[in-house]
Amino acid sequence: MEGGGYSSDEDFEVTRPPVFAKREEEEQVDGPSAKKRAKKTATPLPPASKLLVVEKKKDPHAPLGKLNPLETTDEDKRKSVTETSSVRDDQAFEPPTWYYFPKEEIQVEKRYPRDGRGIIFREVDLAEEFKVRYAGTCYSNLKEIRDEGVDLIKRTILDLVSTESLSSPQNIYEDSPEMILTQDEGLSDEQREQLFTAIFDKGGRVPIIDKPGWSLIIHRAPNSGIIHLCVEMIAMHKGTPVYEASRLCTKADCYKYNQTISTDVFPKCSRHQDIKMHSVVKLTPYNEKNLVIQMHVQFGISTNLGSPESDKNYNAELYASIHMSSSRSWIKYYPIKDARPIPEAISMYHYGTVEEALSRLALESTIGMFMKLALGTTPFVNLDDIIPLCYGMEKELDTRLKELGMHLKMRELSPAERMEVTYPFPGQYLLGTQAEKEQKPEKGKSFLYTITSRDMHYFGWSNTPDFKDRLRRGNRTDGANEYKRITEARAKLDGTRAPTVTSSLLAKCDVTDNTQIEAKMIIAGYVAYLLGLRNPLRKLPSGRGYSTNKCVSLSLVDSDSWSDICQFVKLFWGVEPILAKFDKDRGEMPNFIADSENYSDDKVENSEDEDYNPDEDEHNPEAGSSSSGDHSTDSNSDESD
Ligand SMILES: [Zn+2]
Ligand SMILES: [Zn+2]
C-alpha cells in the first residue's frame, strides 16, 4: 500500500521509466537511465565537454520576468513512445481472473435467528469518529523533502539580482542587506528579468556559490522545448559522473527542485505543486499470466479533474507506475532490478478531494485483504502492506465480495459450542480469568487489549497490562483516542453524556508475536463490524459496534490466518464468521432487505443517554469468555432483530 503523498527523493531513483518527464530524465548527456545524484562533494567533476547545453539569450517573445512566450502551454506528455508507454497503451492486456474457491462448501443450517445473516448495511452517514483514516494515524510519507544546496542556490540567485540591480545603488545594498534577503514574496518580474539577464550575460551558466560543479543554467528541455531556470548538478551514471539538470520551483521564494517536471512551463516542487486531482490506481505487473499480483497507490497530481478521461488516466498511470517501481514491497517481490516487470494499471479512479480517494483506496484494499485471506482459483499476491480499512461502504463491499464469489455470513454458536472455543493465538488468554488481575509488565512479553464502548471496539498491544494512561488526552491519535476525543467534544456541545470507554486486558504473548496477533484481532474486529455484532463485554445492551482500528498490516496475514480470525470472533462474540461461496445465479435475497425489516436499534443505541445507570455500565468480563454460559448482551439484544 502506498498513499497520501510523495515518496522521498530516493524513491525516484529506482527504475524510472524514461518517458516520465521528471527532472533527471532526458537531461543526462549520455543516456536516460542515470539515477544517483551526487551526495558527496568528493565526487570528481565530469569533463567540461559533458556540460549541458544552455540558452545564450532570451527568447524575444518572452515577457518580462519569463523565459517562454506567453502562449507556451504545458507539453502533451505523450510525445515520445517507449517500451513503457506502449505497455500502458496496450489495452488488450488483462490480468488473470480471480474467483473465490474454498476447499469445501459451507452450509449454514438455520438454528438461531441470526444464522446465515451477512454484512449489515448501516445506511447512515458515518460519524466523524468512525471515518476512514490513513495519513497521520499510521502512515507518514508526507515528510518534507530536503533538497541539497537550496540555501546556496538562493544565495547565488539573490546575489545575482542585487549585484546586477540597476535601481539600487551599491551603498544601500551594503547598508541593508536584509532588504533583499528577507523578501518572502520572492522575486518580482523585474528582479527575475535581472536574474535572467545576469545569467545570459555570463553565457547562460553561473556557478553556485560554495558548490563546486553546480551551476545555475538556463536550459531548454529536449522533449518539450520549454526553457527553464535549472540547477546543473553532478550525478553518477554507471560509475561515471555526469551533469544533469533540475528545474527550480517557480513558486515565489522557493528554491527547491525536487519533483519538478520538464513539461511544465512553470514547474513546481512537490510542496508547491497544485494538486487538482486525487487518484487511486490498482497496478499489476505487465504480462503476468499465472498469478494475480496487485498493489494500490493513492496520490494527488496537478492534472485537472475536468480533463479528458484519457489524459487523466495517462498522467495517473505514469505517476502510479513510477511510485510502484520505487515501493518497498515491489522491490522486495522483484529483487532483481533488471528483471522487474513494468507495472500496468488495471483500474483507476479520480476524485476532486483526498477524502473521496481515501474511501476508494480503503474499499479496494479491503477487498484485497479478503482475497488474501481466502483461497482462489488463481494464486494471489497482494503487495499492499498497511491498508486503510473500509468503513461506511458496507453495501459496496458486500457487492464486490460477491462479484468475486465471496459471501461473508455468520452462524451463532450454541452455549455448548461456545464452551469449546479455545484461544487461537500463541500465549495466554486472560480475559475473565483470575490471572487477568495479577499481570505486571514482563521482559519479553506483550499484552493484547481491547478498548470498547457501547458502539465501538478497538484492538491493540502494549508493553504493560496497565491501561490507566492509554486513553489520556493528547497521548496518541489512534482510532480509540480519537473516538474518545470526538465523542467527548460532541457530548459537551450537546450537553449529553459521552459514551463510557473501557480498556480490557485480553491476553499475554511473546513480544515476537504481538504485531501478528494484533493484526488478526484487528481483522476479527473488522469482521465483527461488518456483521453488525455488539459489544460482548457490556452488561447493558449495546448498539452495533464499529471497529475504530483504522489500518491493518496485510504483510502479517495470509490465507492460513482466516481460521484463526474466525476462531477469535467465535471466542469473543460467540458468532462464527463464514466465508461462503456466492453464486450469483442462485438469486439470493440481499442482506439489506432481510435485515432492515427488523432493524430497530434506536433504543439500544441510546441506552446511555436515556436511562444511564453508571453501576450497570460496567463491562462484564465473563460474558466474553468461553467459560461463561451467559449468552451475553450481544446475542440477547440481537434476538430482537
Ligand atoms: Zn517549491
Ligand atoms: Zn511510495
Side-chain angles (χ1 to χ4, degrees), residues 125-139:
D125 284 341
L126 265 190
E128 184 65 22
E129 60 272 28
F130 299 133
K131 283 188 173 155
V132 176
R133 290 276 177 272
Y134 197 35
T137 49
C138 57
Y139 194 78

Side-chain angles (χ1 to χ4, degrees), residues 249-251 254-256 268-273:
C249 176
T250 51
K251 172 87 181 173
C254 182
Y255 299 88
K256 291 187 163 200
K268 300 280 195 308
C269 70
S270 60
R271 187 178 170 177
H272 291 122
Q273 243 161 56

Side-chain angles (χ1 to χ4, degrees), residues 44 53 66 79 118 145 170 289 303 325 328 340 366 379 381 412 543 551 578 608:
V53 176
K66 308 278 186 292
K79 207 163 186 174
I145 297 165
Q170 202 69 21
K289 300 265 199 279
T303 307
S325 53
R328 218 170 293 157
R340 255 170 234 158
T366 301
V381 176
E412 195 167 336
C551 305
I578 292 161
E608 282 189 15

Side-chain angles (χ1 to χ4, degrees), residues 73-80 263 311 314:
T73 53
D74 293 356
E75 184 70 3
D76 180 2
K77 293 167 190 186
R78 252 159 298 185
K79 207 163 186 174
S80 51
T263 49
D311 285 5
Y314 184 85

